[in-house]
Amino acid sequence: MPSNAHSLFPFNTFGLEQAADEVVILHHRDQLAQLAQFAGSRLVVGEGSNLLFTSSFKGQVLVNRLKGISVTETEDAWRVTVQGGENWHELVCYCLEHGMLGLENLALIPGTAGAAPIQNIGAYGVELSRFCEQVESYNWHSGEIHVWPANECAFGYRDSVFKHGAREHLILSITLRLPKAWQPVLGYGPLAELGDHATARQVFEQVCATRRAKLPDPAELGNAGSFFKNPKVSQAQGEALKQAWPGLPLYPAEGGLVKLAAGWLIDQAGLKGTVVGGAAVHQQQALVLVNRGGATAEDILRLAELVRERVNDHFGVVLEPEVRMIGPQGETHLDEALACLN
């Protein structure tokens, strides 16, 4: 690493040894005006839990550490405004402890509140968009603060406007609306075993237990959580796959499509435990690619390529990475990153 470069090792949960020209920690909003004068490439990160640095970054990495939670109450809901640098799981715990229910299905999702709307994080049948009322952001180009009502955020499956047309925006805060009329969401996996009278605390504990049993702790085994999105296919293709593979999980999706379980596909393709260099498909959860120690970005990219090819060969389904890939100039994608290796 060049002597004037700054290590990104603390800011990516894959535990890769990459670098940036500059790393700045954002603690206060009064830093924004000065930071806006920076003319080069900039990348905003929270805890780096959904990132793969495919190379060193030629620019400034800004680490969002804005803190604070405020609550207002109406007759039928709580409005919770959370600064972008707050830890997401700690927010879920805070809301549960204060009787503000609804986020329990999203427990133990790594990352910050500011990163949550970018991916429209989701788990066990619940997505952030279910509760998001608005997003507050700072536009680096104009120097203005913008408030996005939820209907302007273009939320989709692991998607939002902040991944596409609004990349110049730093998310300062999010405001969630948690209705007082709470109903458990129990349609996915082990939550169905809880029964219709489950409490929010029981849902929270089941989600935490399930995630801890399946997902490796990034502090012990570098990873970025679910590496691939659950693919969506037509009803006809889903039914044909189900006929050929009776154990295939199918879930309804918008637009008349059905959603497949990417982890199941990877597992059935015989890829659990597959190793490329220092990277591997996790033994307990095939959806997770891990750094076994000393992995390079190339190891992870080559492994992702192998997984995608093998699943396509078996099922005729092309997996799309969920993890955000960052190249030397910013956002990239798997094929582009692989091309840079050749």
Side-chain angles (χ1 to χ4, degrees):
M1 187 168 65
S3 59
N4 61 342
H6 297 259
S7 174
L8 294 174
F9 181 82
F11 307 113
N12 77 100
T13 59
F14 253 125
L16 297 182
E17 291 284 3
Q18 301 287 24
D21 293 340
E22 182 181 7
V23 174
V24 177
I25 311 298
L26 177 65
H27 290 293
H28 307 288
R29 294 192 182 205
D30 56 15
Q31 295 173 251
L32 293 172
Q34 182 177 355
L35 288 169
Q37 298 173 18
F38 180 78
S41 298
R42 175 187 282 112
L43 174 71
V44 178
V45 304
E47 295 177 354
S49 58
N50 194 50
L51 296 177
L52 171 57
F53 287 103
T54 65
S55 68
S56 291
F57 183 69
K58 304 301 182 184
Q60 179 190 83
V61 169
L62 181 67
V63 183
N64 189 344
R65 291 292 180 263
L66 296 174
K67 299 290 186 179
I69 300 174
S70 61
V71 180
T72 58
E73 185 177 356
T74 65
E75 184 176 341
D76 60 351
W78 289 277
R79 296 178 74 252
V80 184
T81 298
V82 192
Q83 300 305 301
E86 288 285 350
N87 176 273
W88 176 262
H89 179 66
E90 291 178 6
L91 169 66
V92 174
C93 295
Y94 174 91
C95 290
L96 183 62
E97 290 164 4
H98 289 80
M100 300 180 295
L101 310 181
L103 301 182
E104 50 282 341
N105 293 54
L106 305 179
L108 276 184
I109 293 180
T112 58
I118 298 174
Q119 286 289 110
N120 185 24
I121 59 171
Y124 299 104
V126 174
E127 292 183 332
L128 175 81
S129 55
R130 184 186 187 101
F131 301 106
C132 186
E133 185 173 272
Q134 65 183 38
V135 176
E136 179 194 27
S137 70
Y138 179 79
N139 187 317
W140 293 112
H141 293 168
S142 68
E144 297 176 343
I145 291 177
H146 184 78
V147 176
W148 305 74
N151 61 4
E152 293 182 8
C153 292
F155 286 129
Y157 175 57
R158 303 298 178 268
D159 202 13
S160 73
V161 68
F162 306 105
K163 290 183 71 173
H164 303 288
R167 291 183 183 177
E168 72 277 14
H169 286 256
L170 161 70
I171 294 178
L172 299 175
S173 72
I174 62 174
T175 298
L176 308 177
R177 182 183 183 277
L178 303 178
K180 293 181 178 179
W182 175 83
Q183 290 290 329
V185 178
L186 305 172
Y188 274 64
L191 298 185
E193 302 169 8
L194 294 176
D196 293 338
H197 299 293
T199 66
R201 173 63 65 177
Q202 288 173 322
V203 173
F204 171 86
E205 291 174 352
Q206 183 66 67
V207 168
C208 290
T210 302
R211 292 185 71 92
R212 288 186 175 120
K214 289 186 174 183
L215 301 175
D217 183 348
E220 300 175 1
L221 196 61
N223 71 91
S226 300
F227 195 92
F228 294 98
K229 297 179 182 180
N230 289 324
K232 298 176 185 176
V233 299
S234 67
Q235 287 275 0
Q237 185 178 2
E239 290 169 5
L241 286 168
K242 185 74 172 178
Q243 187 171 2
W245 303 84
L248 172 70
L250 287 179
Y251 304 101
E254 65 275 6
L257 302 175
V258 292
K259 187 186 297 183
L260 311 179
W264 188 93
L265 299 175
I266 297 167
D267 188 4
Q268 293 299 310
L271 288 158
K272 269 187 179 176
T274 299
V275 173
V276 173
V281 179
H282 193 241
Q283 287 280 10
Q284 278 71 50
Q285 173 50 273
L287 196 52
V288 179
L289 306 188
V290 299
N291 178 356
R292 300 188 306 149
T296 64
E298 180 171 356
D299 293 339
I300 296 167
L301 290 169
R302 296 292 186 198
L303 180 59
E305 179 184 34
L306 174 63
V307 169
R308 185 176 65 174
E309 289 178 355
R310 189 82 60 83
V311 168
N312 192 26
D313 289 344
H314 272 69
F315 302 101
V317 174
V318 178
L319 295 181
E320 179 184 349
E322 177 177 327
V323 169
R324 292 176 65 204
M325 298 188 182
I326 308 297
Q329 306 301 326
E331 206 94 17
T332 184
H333 54 81
L334 181 56
D335 288 324
E336 185 176 62
L338 287 166
C340 292
L341 300 177
N342 300 323

